[in-house]
Amino acid sequence: MGRFFSFPIFHRRKIAGRRAYSIMRLVHAFLDLPTNDTSDTDGIVILSDEDIVAASITNPDHYSILIDRYTAPLSRYVRRRASVSQEDVDDILQDVFIKAYTHLTSFDPRMKFSSWLYRIAHNHIISWYRRHEVRHRDRIMLDDHDALKLFSGDDGLGPDVQAIFNDDAQMIHAALAELPDQYRDVMMLRFFEGLDYDSMSDVLKIPPGTVATRLNRGKKKLQKIIDGMHHV
């Protein structure tokens, strides 16, 4: 089926000293992609994600550009969703990038590549929790800069909640951890990852109208949880 499927990555192996590597080098090493010579990819870095996906199918070297683009945002996403060690983050991202690579030919170009990649990451995080028997609602990791994003934009939380945040930021973090999964997922994708409704629909595989409903209900539920904590 062409060079793409003849590329020698279809076996699992551990890479020694993985904590000494960046995510990019770790995945490059696993996939046998180049890390230093960019002469073959210089002209393609300005293309869209979707165009680079198409190019990667015929020339796997180009996949390194997508790794470069998404290592940082996906690392932040994993750390927000999972209070785990850096080694665990590295493991999760390595698996996400490898799974995405091995399924590039099934990617629908009518969809945003970023949404497709976030979907893979979202599902892999859930699987990681199940394997480690951890309840992920107890494992939210945000800093104060992240939490401030809850109050940005036209659909952000109101000034009353922001006033509480200014007094007790940890209360907001704890309230988010108490949200049911279906509401917390859309709120984190919307406010912390900056995804639009269509992208969230693709990530969660639910209609955009359901995304809007869950976001609205999630904000009300979060407000109710915060009010309960605030008046204890």
Side-chain angles (χ1 to χ4, degrees), residues 72-82 118 121-123 125 185 188-189 193 203-204:
L74 282 184
S75 181
R76 290 191 295 269
Y77 179 59
V78 171
R79 293 198 68 83
R80 286 169 180 147
R81 293 296 309 271
Y118 268 93
H122 175 83
N123 292 337
I125 292 169
D185 286 344
M188 295 191 75
L189 289 172
E193 305 307 321
V203 172
L204 300 174

Side-chain angles (χ1 to χ4, degrees), residues 176-231:
L176 277 170
E178 289 298 317
L179 272 179
D181 295 348
Q182 60 180 340
Y183 301 135
R184 187 179 58 255
D185 286 344
V186 294
M187 293 192 68
M188 295 191 75
L189 289 172
R190 176 62 174 167
F191 294 113
F192 305 140
E193 305 307 321
L195 272 60
D196 59 30
Y197 284 35
D198 288 337
S199 295
M200 290 191 288
S201 171
D202 289 336
V203 172
L204 300 174
K205 300 187 74 172
I206 57 177
T210 303
V211 169
T213 297
R214 289 185 182 180
L215 186 61
N216 185 52
R217 291 177 179 174
K219 290 190 292 184
K220 292 179 178 178
K221 182 70 172 177
L222 184 64
Q223 178 76 63
K224 185 175 182 180
I225 293 172
I226 291 171
D227 287 344
M229 292 177 171
H230 190 56
H231 292 101

Side-chain angles (χ1 to χ4, degrees), residues 18-88:
R18 60 173 51 181
R19 295 191 69 182
Y21 290 88
S22 66
I23 287 292
M24 180 185 70
R25 288 185 176 277
L26 213 161
V27 178
H28 282 194
F30 190 96
L31 297 179
D32 295 331
L33 295 175
T35 58
N36 295 318
D37 183 6
T38 61
S39 58
D40 292 335
T41 61
D42 285 344
I44 201 171
V45 294
I46 61 174
L47 297 180
S48 69
D49 293 342
E50 294 73 27
D51 287 337
I52 295 174
V53 168
S56 298
I57 292 175
T58 56
N59 185 348
D61 294 352
H62 295 325
Y63 188 64
S64 61
I65 300 170
L66 295 173
I67 296 174
D68 293 344
R69 285 185 181 180
Y70 285 98
T71 291
L74 282 184
S75 181
R76 290 191 295 269
Y77 179 59
V78 171
R79 293 198 68 83
R80 286 169 180 147
R81 293 296 309 271
S83 177
V84 296
S85 69
Q86 184 59 51
E87 185 174 4
D88 286 332

Side-chain angles (χ1 to χ4, degrees), residues 153-171:
D154 295 336
D155 54 1
L157 301 179
D160 292 343
V161 178
Q162 185 165 8
I164 295 173
F165 168 78
N166 292 336
D167 291 334
D168 189 354
Q170 290 304 312
M171 182 182 294

